[in-house]
Amino acid sequence: MKQLTFAPRHHQLTNINTWTPDSRWLAFDVRPSGASFTGETIEQVNVETGELDVIYRAAQGAHVGVVTVNPQKAQYVFIHGPENPDESWRYDFHHRRGVLVEKGKATNLDAMDITPPFTPGALRGGSHVHVFSPDGEWLSFTYNDHVLHELDPKLDLRNIGVALPFGPVNPDIDHPREYAGSRWCALVSRTTPTPRPGSDEINRAYEEGWVGNNGYLKADGSRQRRALAFIGDTLSTRGEKVPELFIVDLPQEEAVWRQASPGSAVSLPAPPAGVMQRRLTFTHARRYPGLATVPRHWARSNPQGSEIAFLMKDDNGVAQLWLISPEGGEPRQLTCGEGVQSAFNWHPSGDAIGFVQQNRIVLCDAHTGNITPLTPVQENEISSDAVVFSPDGEKVAWMQETAGFRQLWMTSTRR
């Protein structure tokens, strides 16, 4: 084990894509906690030398956080709060944007247009947890809508979106909080404020993950090049929230995406016609229905795109890892006994999954479920937010309370 940061402040890792492609730098922000948003810098630490580097410093009262790295090059993306916040426009789910930094230059990821007629390719609210696809070309994010929030906060439903490699998007600037963006953005999930109990309808889409480094193989042998798995909140026949796993196949063609609806004054933006989400899990009849919400986790596919991992309680009420094909079918329980105490990630080989168990970092064999501890049980608490492998698969990093602050730690994956 090796402690990577030592300054008397908190350091926050995002749940995936925190390493530079050369496996030498680990990117982080300095929020006091994952639930706060008061950090002013995006930084990285060299895991070999301990050198610290400030990637971006916010100005004009803005704050930044939740940084991820392009898997193919030293390009960073993170949440940026509003400059010069005031009573009418302060940081919130629907008041934030993505910012890209490459070679010291910062550009907006998504455009903002909140005055009708709305601009295709622009958003009308805030984007969050921006994650590059494995090839570094597309990005996914979660989204909340300012326009509907102003109309009725109950209509501002969490959704999943993508930022696509064509742009820029330049809306007419009719409001001081509007701005241009470098990527074309569109939503890919469909939500409704009032899902029908017992149906596949959802009122919230979140915690998404890219499927496979190169998509996945369909049953007919064709390859779906891009897809996102995510959690969607359904309602049971008794009207109770039941989170289930969903997937959405994404078309490649630019022309298709340009047909996505930017929404109206009374409706959310919508995916292009034909882009439909598909439900993968059906847990309403289980003793503990739904995917586990504690610990917080994100749907994660293996690099091969053949299995998607998620957390669900066993019949004893313990959160365990389960695997399912992108085509659906019965999920396979991978862990048993002690359960999983954190978000998780696949090792780059696709042969193992890393997470926290009994306050130690462990590797779980993705075929057998066998557990290999990578650290001893720790006296100080390990954060459940992130366990992240380096691209070369040689190292794994996490956050741990140390001398009163959340510090970054690393260990080798070799045992």
Side-chain angles (χ1 to χ4, degrees):
M1 287 176 53
K2 178 182 180 182
Q3 186 175 345
L4 298 173
T5 54
F6 297 88
R9 59 176 184 171
H10 295 291
H11 304 78
Q12 186 75 28
L13 290 176
T14 308
N15 63 84
I16 196 171
N17 286 17
T18 55
W19 293 83
T20 53
D22 60 9
S23 298
R24 296 182 60 215
W25 294 85
L26 193 62
F28 61 92
D29 66 70
V30 296
R31 289 170 292 153
S33 73
S36 66
F37 205 80
T38 58
E40 294 184 347
T41 57
I42 299 296
E43 304 182 25
Q44 61 183 356
V45 59
N46 188 304
V47 301
E48 299 166 359
T49 67
E51 176 189 354
L52 288 172
D53 175 40
V54 175
I55 297 166
Y56 182 87
R57 187 179 298 276
Q60 297 175 281
H63 296 102
V64 291
V66 196
V67 59
T68 61
V69 188
N70 189 318
Q72 303 300 325
K73 58 183 177 179
Q75 184 184 49
Y76 307 82
V77 62
F78 47 87
I79 300 172
H80 202 298
E83 289 89 354
N84 302 309
D86 55 32
E87 288 299 317
S88 66
W89 200 283
R90 63 181 69 182
Y91 178 82
D92 206 330
F93 293 157
H94 55 293
H95 291 164
R96 53 189 178 182
R97 68 186 189 272
V99 165
L100 291 163
V101 170
E102 185 175 7
K103 297 179 180 177
K105 181 182 178 181
T107 56
N108 289 338
L109 176 74
D110 38 312
M112 168 81 91
D113 184 5
I114 58 173
T115 52
F118 303 110
T119 304
L123 300 179
R124 306 121 44 97
S127 61
H128 169 245
V129 192
H130 313 85
V131 177
F132 286 97
S133 58
D135 65 359
E137 294 297 318
W138 295 31
L139 298 98
S140 69
F141 53 83
T142 47
Y143 172 75
N144 283 84
D145 195 85
H146 168 84
V147 174
L148 290 194
H149 191 93
E150 291 293 293
L151 180 64
D152 181 351
K154 294 179 182 178
L155 300 176
D156 174 22
L157 306 176
R158 174 67 57 89
N159 273 278
I160 306 293
V162 290
L164 305 160
F166 43 92
V169 176
N170 294 300
D172 294 332
I173 305 302
D174 300 313
H175 186 282
R177 296 296 184 176
E178 294 178 336
Y179 43 80
S182 60
R183 304 290 187 102
W184 183 283
C185 294
L187 298 194
V188 300
S189 59
R190 297 178 189 270
T191 54
T192 175
T194 55
R196 289 175 293 129
S199 74
D200 293 350
E201 295 176 346
I202 60 175
N203 59 12
R204 179 177 167 89
Y206 55 106
E207 321 302 45
E208 84 284 358
W210 292 98
V211 178
N213 286 353
N214 192 34
Y216 71 93
L217 282 177
K218 294 185 173 183
D220 63 5
S222 64
R223 177 165 292 278
Q224 175 60 43
R225 178 66 181 85
R226 298 183 191 276
L228 284 168
F230 62 90
I231 302 174
D233 286 347
T234 68
L235 290 184
S236 71
T237 53
R238 294 185 296 179
E240 298 168 330
K241 182 181 79 170
V242 182
E244 299 280 10
L245 188 67
F246 288 77
I247 189 171
V248 60
D249 294 341
L250 306 178
Q252 289 283 97
E253 299 81 13
E254 177 178 332
V256 174
W257 289 105
R258 291 193 178 276
Q259 300 306 310
S261 168
S264 72
V266 295
S267 66
L268 281 168
V275 177
M276 300 298 294
Q277 61 207 28
R278 173 168 47 92
R279 183 169 162 186
L280 293 178
T281 60
F282 297 83
T283 72
H284 285 202
R286 299 187 77 251
R287 182 174 182 181
Y288 295 96
L291 275 61
T293 55
V294 178
R296 184 183 183 186
H297 72 284
W298 288 256
R300 292 286 174 248
S301 164
N302 61 354
Q304 295 82 5
S306 58
E307 291 185 301
I308 301 167
F310 60 96
L311 297 183
M312 184 168 63
K313 290 181 180 179
D314 61 19
D315 286 343
N316 296 315
V318 178
Q320 306 287 1
L321 265 173
W322 300 70
L323 304 175
I324 194 169
S325 164
E327 291 283 80
E330 283 298 312
R332 172 170 71 94
Q333 184 175 347
L334 183 62
T335 59
C336 59
E338 292 294 335
V340 179
Q341 297 168 344
S342 71
F344 57 85
N345 272 302
W346 289 82
H347 185 273
S349 67
D351 291 329
I353 299 174
F355 51 87
V356 178
Q357 186 182 72
Q358 295 179 302
N359 206 39
R360 59 185 179 167
I361 303 296
V362 302
L363 268 183
C364 176
D365 188 292
H367 309 288
T368 67
N370 291 338
I371 298 292
T372 301
L374 297 181
T375 71
V377 175
Q378 297 297 292
E379 180 178 343
N380 296 317
E381 182 183 3
I382 297 176
S383 169
S384 64
D385 290 350
V387 176
V388 283
F389 291 101
S390 58
D392 63 11
E394 296 290 315
K395 301 173 281 289
V396 62
W398 67 93
M399 296 170 284
Q400 186 169 326
E401 294 297 320
T402 312
F405 294 94
R406 190 183 308 103
Q407 302 289 357
L408 306 187
W409 289 75
M410 177 189 76
T411 196
S412 171
T413 58
R414 292 181 179 272
R415 286 296 182 270

